[in-house]
Amino acid sequence: MAIKIYNTYSRQKEEYTPLHPDVTGFYTCGPTVYDYFHIGNARAFIVFDMIRRYFIYRGYRVRYVMNLTDIDDKIIKRANEQGVDSAEIAEKYAAAFFEDIQKLGIRPADVYPRATDHIEEIQALIAKLIEKGVAYESGGDVFYDVAKFPAYASLSGKNLDQLQSGARIAVDERKHNPLDFVLWKAAKPGEPKWPSPWGEGRPGWHIECSAMSMRYLGETFDIHAGGQDLIFPHHENEIAQSSAATGKEFARYWLHNGFLDIRGEKMSKSLGNFITVRELTKQYSAAVVRLFFMQKHYRSPVDFTEEGLQAARASSRRLTEAWRKITAAAGDALPLASADEAGAAKAFVETVFRLQRDIQTAMDDDFNTPAAVGKLFDLVREANRFIDSGVSSEEERRAVATVLAHMEGYDSFLGVIDHSAGDVDSERVGKVLDTILHLRSQLRQEKNFALADRIRDELAASGVIIEDSPEGPKWRWKN
Ligand SMILES: [Zn+2]
């Protein structure tokens, strides 16, 4: 069965077929690097990371490109406020972006093109649009002539007449049509600028994504993704620019993730509910944040609450604990390829394979992660029951190893198991044991040997061996 994707352009689910059988080209709009990114951005980055990795899980090779907008009004404004160069602001927040996506367990893109490294490609694209008569220069600015692109607004399905009357409120003498948008901005004093055939200036935002996506993925490529707020005008304009320049279809599948609210309100700095990933990841691990998002379908709206995160934390812990228990029970056994090899564990292994089919069916249906996560918990419940009833034969161990292999497979795209949690916990256990040993030494100094020995024996029963050495007592796990 093929993966079905809801394509914003056609407004329906379509079976996915790559343009080139050997590689899927995937472009997603990246951050404008003027500040730490917030959890609304994080949702887009996480869900498209999941989708990319699900394609890989299903055997596709994916070329994943995410741009960095490193020249923009917001960056210039921030630089002027701080009295520094705009490149310095961009560099600082680009570095912060890479740190933060790592904390969210996001796999790095294959390419992170930056707008300022692609001025040449951007200018070539603008020149082509002027040559084709769909863009015009006006006093050092270059605009796209929306009236020359009949398919304009077909992605968003917006009504052009309504848009025009809305846009007419702010009349701009330089434009032919109020909806025309800027491709090249003439330099203003104190702004970064590059020489161009239309005078010194800098690129507009929309043209950057057209130029960089086509540079790395070709004139027509498979998937273009971003937040719903980018459908109009950003993605609409990208289509107009790219298709008018090449005469070809631009991106074949358009994916958009749903909005995010904070306790039912829009997130904004003025409401004081603005949450950066930098703050969030001080308290919550990647697995917890990811599970929170995976429990909602990527196109649905999400209400971000502390309670929701706490619940995700408890759920992620359950998964992680189960994963550890399953890992221990599987030992070095190899997974089974089918239930027929499972002997007495056949019924259990059949359930494991049925759940695998269910998870794949859910994921193939436009990446239904809430359903997949539900089935993952079913798997964990079944595995716990099976292990608790005793695992002794090689077939039973192999049955458990099968569960483990499947879980690792699902987590390769969900990222909801905290593989590092074991280290944190053993660190905690170590501190507790050090405290106990310290108290036991005091008991010995007070010649309370009976109680000190009892502590040693009880710890031994729990698998902790205490050895008294000249440097003081030490503990180790019983093998
Ligand atoms: Zn973009």
Side-chain angles (χ1 to χ4, degrees):
M1 210 182 91
I3 298 176
K4 276 192 176 171
I5 299 181
Y6 181 86
N7 187 348
T8 307
Y9 200 89
S10 64
R11 293 168 187 79
Q12 58 191 12
K13 285 182 195 171
E14 296 176 16
E15 277 199 3
Y16 177 73
T17 48
L19 183 63
H20 307 288
D22 53 337
V23 66
T24 282
F26 195 148
Y27 184 87
T28 183
C29 290
T32 299
V33 283
Y34 75 105
D35 204 343
Y36 297 115
F37 72 89
H38 57 71
I39 53 168
N41 308 125
R43 183 184 189 196
F45 301 151
I46 288 174
V47 299
F48 298 126
D49 173 66
M50 172 274 292
I51 290 173
R52 169 206 192 183
R53 284 155 70 170
Y54 184 65
F55 272 105
I56 295 169
Y57 171 83
R58 291 282 271 112
Y60 290 89
R61 236 189 84 212
V62 181
R63 182 163 166 82
Y64 193 69
V65 180
M66 182 189 273
N67 72 297
L68 260 58
T69 297
D70 63 348
I71 182 71
D72 180 87
D73 289 345
K74 292 188 200 116
I75 299 173
I76 295 169
K77 183 168 172 266
R78 180 61 55 95
N80 290 342
E81 282 165 7
Q82 299 188 6
V84 296
D85 198 57
S86 66
E88 200 176 307
I89 293 290
E91 196 42 61
K92 175 182 170 182
Y93 291 107
F97 164 76
F98 289 119
E99 283 170 20
D100 290 351
I101 57 165
Q102 196 187 4
K103 286 186 210 144
L104 293 174
I106 290 171
R107 193 178 291 183
D110 297 304
V111 196
Y112 285 110
R114 299 182 188 211
T116 59
D117 293 332
H118 296 79
I119 300 294
E120 207 175 301
E121 287 91 339
I122 292 167
Q123 289 186 354
L125 187 56
I126 296 172
K128 203 166 179 185
L129 290 170
I130 294 175
E131 189 190 301
K132 295 217 168 190
V134 292
Y136 57 91
E137 192 257 313
S138 177
D141 293 312
V142 180
F143 292 99
Y144 188 95
D145 200 339
V146 167
K148 299 276 173 63
F149 189 68
Y152 193 71
S154 44
L155 175 71
S156 58
K158 287 197 183 282
N159 179 305
L160 224 54
D161 292 335
Q162 276 178 10
L163 282 175
Q164 271 164 350
S165 56
R168 241 172 235 125
I169 297 163
V171 179
D172 188 336
E173 297 293 330
R174 300 167 302 165
K175 294 185 186 179
H176 294 173
N177 180 312
L179 288 180
D180 292 353
F181 56 91
V182 71
L183 302 174
W184 186 261
K185 296 182 181 186
K188 293 195 190 101
E191 286 187 357
K193 59 192 176 190
W194 288 262
S196 87
W198 321 286
E200 288 184 326
R202 60 186 168 96
W205 172 37
H206 313 301
I207 197 77
E208 296 173 8
C209 278
S210 278
M212 293 190 282
S213 58
M214 293 197 290
R215 161 74 176 74
Y216 291 98
L217 298 171
E219 291 178 339
T220 303
F221 60 89
D222 297 306
I223 299 172
H224 194 312
Q228 258 171 26
D229 52 324
L230 298 183
I231 296 175
F232 188 89
H234 185 53
H235 291 164
E236 200 76 75
N237 293 352
E238 279 189 50
I239 294 172
Q241 295 161 159
S242 302
S243 289
T246 65
K248 294 174 188 166
E249 186 183 16
F250 176 46
R252 301 168 61 237
Y253 301 87
W254 286 88
L255 272 68
H256 294 99
N257 67 282
F259 288 114
L260 177 139
D261 282 340
I262 310 279
R263 291 200 165 280
E265 284 182 313
K266 212 170 157 7
M267 178 170 47
S268 79
K269 281 188 174 153
S270 56
L271 282 173
N273 62 0
F274 197 85
I275 304 170
T276 62
V277 167
R278 190 136 287 223
E279 284 307 310
L280 183 73
T281 50
K282 283 181 187 161
Q283 271 185 287
Y284 297 97
S285 69
V288 172
V289 178
R290 293 179 72 102
L291 184 58
F292 176 83
F293 285 124
M294 295 306 153
Q295 285 171 324
K296 284 275 183 203
H297 190 265
Y298 78 96
R299 284 191 289 119
S300 303
V302 157
D303 194 25
F304 200 81
T305 62
E306 190 71 27
E307 295 83 358
L309 276 172
Q310 298 284 359
R313 176 182 272 167
S315 300
S316 170
R317 194 170 289 159
R318 263 170 60 210
L319 283 177
T320 302
E321 278 166 9
W323 169 74
R324 261 192 248 135
K325 178 172 166 178
I326 291 164
T327 304
D332 55 4
L334 291 172
L336 298 160
S338 83
D340 296 333
E341 309 164 38
K346 187 173 179 190
F348 171 65
V349 176
E350 273 171 352
T351 305
V352 174
F353 279 102
R354 178 176 54 76
L355 287 169
Q356 182 185 39
R357 284 192 296 276
D358 290 349
I359 289 176
Q360 189 166 312
T361 303
M363 289 299 295
D364 280 355
D365 183 14
D366 195 31
F367 317 104
N368 188 347
T369 54
V373 167
K375 296 288 177 187
L376 176 56
F377 276 103
D378 289 349
L379 175 66
V380 160
R381 217 173 2 257
E382 295 287 343
N384 270 324
R385 201 177 298 152
F386 184 77
I387 294 170
D388 291 344
S389 67
V391 173
S392 49
S393 72
E394 182 60 15
E395 278 155 348
E396 284 165 344
R397 263 194 296 278
R398 291 195 68 186
V400 178
T402 311
V403 176
L404 181 63
H406 288 195
M407 265 184 106
E408 297 278 5
Y410 309 141
D411 205 51
S412 71
F413 54 88
L414 294 172
V416 294
I417 296 172
D418 201 342
H419 289 81
S420 67
D423 305 331
V424 176
D425 276 16
S426 57
E427 194 181 307
R428 268 194 211 138
V429 169
K431 280 188 185 146
V432 172
L433 283 170
D434 287 345
T435 308
I436 294 173
L437 257 59
H438 180 71
L439 293 173
R440 180 174 165 273
S441 297
Q442 284 197 350
L443 289 172
R444 282 165 64 91
Q445 274 167 22
E446 291 163 13
K447 312 239 181 275
N448 190 343
F449 296 110
L451 191 52
D453 288 350
R454 212 177 109 198
I455 290 172
R456 186 195 59 206
D457 296 343
E458 284 186 12
L459 283 177
S462 313
V464 178
I465 306 296
I466 295 181
E467 281 157 353
D468 291 302
S469 73
E471 302 93 62
K474 287 199 171 102
W475 67 269
R476 64 173 172 84
W477 295 111
K478 191 157 79 186
N479 298 325

PDB file of all heavy atoms in Angstrom, residues 46-57:
ATOM      1  N   ILE A  46       9.122  19.576  14.103  1.00  0.00           N
ATOM      2  CA  ILE A  46       8.986  18.203  14.600  1.00  0.00           C
ATOM      3  C   ILE A  46       8.104  17.353  13.681  1.00  0.00           C
ATOM      4  O   ILE A  46       8.460  16.229  13.339  1.00  0.00           O
ATOM      5  CB  ILE A  46       8.436  18.190  16.050  1.00  0.00           C
ATOM      6  CG1 ILE A  46       9.513  18.674  17.024  1.00  0.00           C
ATOM      7  CG2 ILE A  46       7.949  16.800  16.442  1.00  0.00           C
ATOM      8  CD1 ILE A  46       9.035  18.841  18.459  1.00  0.00           C
ATOM      9  N   VAL A  47       6.958  17.892  13.257  1.00  0.00           N
ATOM     10  CA  VAL A  47       6.079  17.033  12.450  1.00  0.00           C
ATOM     11  C   VAL A  47       6.693  16.740  11.078  1.00  0.00           C
ATOM     12  O   VAL A  47       6.570  15.620  10.573  1.00  0.00           O
ATOM     13  CB  VAL A  47       4.622  17.554  12.306  1.00  0.00           C
ATOM     14  CG1 VAL A  47       3.945  17.649  13.659  1.00  0.00           C
ATOM     15  CG2 VAL A  47       4.537  18.860  11.558  1.00  0.00           C
ATOM     16  N   PHE A  48       7.406  17.688  10.505  1.00  0.00           N
ATOM     17  CA  PHE A  48       8.009  17.388   9.195  1.00  0.00           C
ATOM     18  C   PHE A  48       9.239  16.490   9.339  1.00  0.00           C
ATOM     19  O   PHE A  48       9.534  15.700   8.450  1.00  0.00           O
ATOM     20  CB  PHE A  48       8.273  18.675   8.409  1.00  0.00           C
ATOM     21  CG  PHE A  48       6.988  19.415   8.121  1.00  0.00           C
ATOM     22  CD1 PHE A  48       6.815  20.747   8.469  1.00  0.00           C
ATOM     23  CD2 PHE A  48       5.914  18.742   7.556  1.00  0.00           C
ATOM     24  CE1 PHE A  48       5.608  21.387   8.247  1.00  0.00           C
ATOM     25  CE2 PHE A  48       4.697  19.376   7.330  1.00  0.00           C
ATOM     26  CZ  PHE A  48       4.542  20.706   7.675  1.00  0.00           C
ATOM     27  N   ASP A  49       9.912  16.577  10.474  1.00  0.00           N
ATOM     28  CA  ASP A  49      10.987  15.628  10.788  1.00  0.00           C
ATOM     29  C   ASP A  49      10.403  14.213  10.871  1.00  0.00           C
ATOM     30  O   ASP A  49      10.961  13.258  10.327  1.00  0.00           O
ATOM     31  CB  ASP A  49      11.633  16.033  12.120  1.00  0.00           C
ATOM     32  CG  ASP A  49      12.658  15.017  12.622  1.00  0.00           C
ATOM     33  OD1 ASP A  49      13.696  14.866  11.966  1.00  0.00           O
ATOM     34  OD2 ASP A  49      12.406  14.386  13.667  1.00  0.00           O
ATOM     35  N   MET A  50       9.247  14.100  11.538  1.00  0.00           N
ATOM     36  CA  MET A  50       8.581  12.791  11.661  1.00  0.00           C
ATOM     37  C   MET A  50       8.197  12.265  10.274  1.00  0.00           C
ATOM     38  O   MET A  50       8.433  11.093   9.957  1.00  0.00           O
ATOM     39  CB  MET A  50       7.355  12.951  12.577  1.00  0.00           C
ATOM     40  CG  MET A  50       6.429  11.765  12.671  1.00  0.00           C
ATOM     41  SD  MET A  50       5.166  11.698  11.356  1.00  0.00           S
ATOM     42  CE  MET A  50       4.122  13.104  11.762  1.00  0.00           C
ATOM     43  N   ILE A  51       7.632  13.137   9.430  1.00  0.00           N
ATOM     44  CA  ILE A  51       7.174  12.705   8.102  1.00  0.00           C
ATOM     45  C   ILE A  51       8.378  12.277   7.243  1.00  0.00           C
ATOM     46  O   ILE A  51       8.361  11.228   6.603  1.00  0.00           O
ATOM     47  CB  ILE A  51       6.335  13.814   7.433  1.00  0.00           C
ATOM     48  CG1 ILE A  51       4.997  13.943   8.169  1.00  0.00           C
ATOM     49  CG2 ILE A  51       6.115  13.514   5.941  1.00  0.00           C
ATOM     50  CD1 ILE A  51       4.119  15.095   7.735  1.00  0.00           C
ATOM     51  N   ARG A  52       9.409  13.075   7.287  1.00  0.00           N
ATOM     52  CA  ARG A  52      10.634  12.704   6.560  1.00  0.00           C
ATOM     53  C   ARG A  52      11.130  11.315   7.014  1.00  0.00           C
ATOM     54  O   ARG A  52      11.456  10.453   6.208  1.00  0.00           O
ATOM     55  CB  ARG A  52      11.712  13.749   6.869  1.00  0.00           C
ATOM     56  CG  ARG A  52      13.082  13.361   6.399  1.00  0.00           C
ATOM     57  CD  ARG A  52      14.137  14.051   7.248  1.00  0.00           C
ATOM     58  NE  ARG A  52      15.464  13.942   6.658  1.00  0.00           N
ATOM     59  CZ  ARG A  52      16.561  14.414   7.238  1.00  0.00           C
ATOM     60  NH1 ARG A  52      16.484  15.058   8.391  1.00  0.00           N
ATOM     61  NH2 ARG A  52      17.740  14.276   6.672  1.00  0.00           N
ATOM     62  N   ARG A  53      11.168  11.110   8.333  1.00  0.00           N
ATOM     63  CA  ARG A  53      11.700   9.856   8.859  1.00  0.00           C
ATOM     64  C   ARG A  53      10.756   8.688   8.615  1.00  0.00           C
ATOM     65  O   ARG A  53      11.190   7.544   8.513  1.00  0.00           O
ATOM     66  CB  ARG A  53      12.042  10.021  10.344  1.00  0.00           C
ATOM     67  CG  ARG A  53      13.335  10.811  10.499  1.00  0.00           C
ATOM     68  CD  ARG A  53      13.451  11.525  11.819  1.00  0.00           C
ATOM     69  NE  ARG A  53      13.637  10.614  12.918  1.00  0.00           N
ATOM     70  CZ  ARG A  53      13.964  11.009  14.146  1.00  0.00           C
ATOM     71  NH1 ARG A  53      14.154  12.303  14.414  1.00  0.00           N
ATOM     72  NH2 ARG A  53      14.117  10.148  15.105  1.00  0.00           N
ATOM     73  N   TYR A  54       9.445   8.973   8.512  1.00  0.00           N
ATOM     74  CA  TYR A  54       8.526   7.888   8.173  1.00  0.00           C
ATOM     75  C   TYR A  54       8.780   7.430   6.733  1.00  0.00           C
ATOM     76  O   TYR A  54       8.764   6.225   6.440  1.00  0.00           O
ATOM     77  CB  TYR A  54       7.056   8.288   8.359  1.00  0.00           C
ATOM     78  CG  TYR A  54       6.143   7.109   8.091  1.00  0.00           C
ATOM     79  CD1 TYR A  54       6.179   5.981   8.913  1.00  0.00           C
ATOM     80  CD2 TYR A  54       5.297   7.077   6.988  1.00  0.00           C
ATOM     81  CE1 TYR A  54       5.401   4.862   8.648  1.00  0.00           C
ATOM     82  CE2 TYR A  54       4.512   5.968   6.716  1.00  0.00           C
ATOM     83  CZ  TYR A  54       4.560   4.865   7.551  1.00  0.00           C
ATOM     84  OH  TYR A  54       3.798   3.752   7.273  1.00  0.00           O
ATOM     85  N   PHE A  55       9.028   8.355   5.846  1.00  0.00           N
ATOM     86  CA  PHE A  55       9.382   7.976   4.470  1.00  0.00           C
ATOM     87  C   PHE A  55      10.611   7.071   4.468  1.00  0.00           C
ATOM     88  O   PHE A  55      10.658   6.077   3.749  1.00  0.00           O
ATOM     89  CB  PHE A  55       9.661   9.227   3.613  1.00  0.00           C
ATOM     90  CG  PHE A  55       8.418   9.797   2.973  1.00  0.00           C
ATOM     91  CD1 PHE A  55       7.833  10.949   3.464  1.00  0.00           C
ATOM     92  CD2 PHE A  55       7.848   9.171   1.878  1.00  0.00           C
ATOM     93  CE1 PHE A  55       6.696  11.471   2.881  1.00  0.00           C
ATOM     94  CE2 PHE A  55       6.703   9.690   1.282  1.00  0.00           C
ATOM     95  CZ  PHE A  55       6.118  10.838   1.789  1.00  0.00           C
ATOM     96  N   ILE A  56      11.596   7.412   5.274  1.00  0.00           N
ATOM     97  CA  ILE A  56      12.817   6.603   5.346  1.00  0.00           C
ATOM     98  C   ILE A  56      12.484   5.217   5.907  1.00  0.00           C
ATOM     99  O   ILE A  56      12.921   4.195   5.379  1.00  0.00           O
ATOM    100  CB  ILE A  56      13.898   7.328   6.187  1.00  0.00           C
ATOM    101  CG1 ILE A  56      14.322   8.620   5.472  1.00  0.00           C
ATOM    102  CG2 ILE A  56      15.103   6.418   6.436  1.00  0.00           C
ATOM    103  CD1 ILE A  56      15.172   9.558   6.309  1.00  0.00           C
ATOM    104  N   TYR A  57      11.656   5.181   6.949  1.00  0.00           N
ATOM    105  CA  TYR A  57      11.215   3.908   7.546  1.00  0.00           C
ATOM    106  C   TYR A  57      10.544   3.030   6.492  1.00  0.00           C
ATOM    107  O   TYR A  57      10.709   1.813   6.481  1.00  0.00           O
ATOM    108  CB  TYR A  57      10.236   4.216   8.694  1.00  0.00           C
ATOM    109  CG  TYR A  57       9.516   3.031   9.287  1.00  0.00           C
ATOM    110  CD1 TYR A  57      10.118   2.241  10.265  1.00  0.00           C
ATOM    111  CD2 TYR A  57       8.219   2.712   8.882  1.00  0.00           C
ATOM    112  CE1 TYR A  57       9.453   1.153  10.820  1.00  0.00           C
ATOM    113  CE2 TYR A  57       7.542   1.634   9.427  1.00  0.00           C
ATOM    114  CZ  TYR A  57       8.160   0.853  10.394  1.00  0.00           C
ATOM    115  OH  TYR A  57       7.496  -0.222  10.939  1.00  0.00           O
TER     116      TYR A  57
END
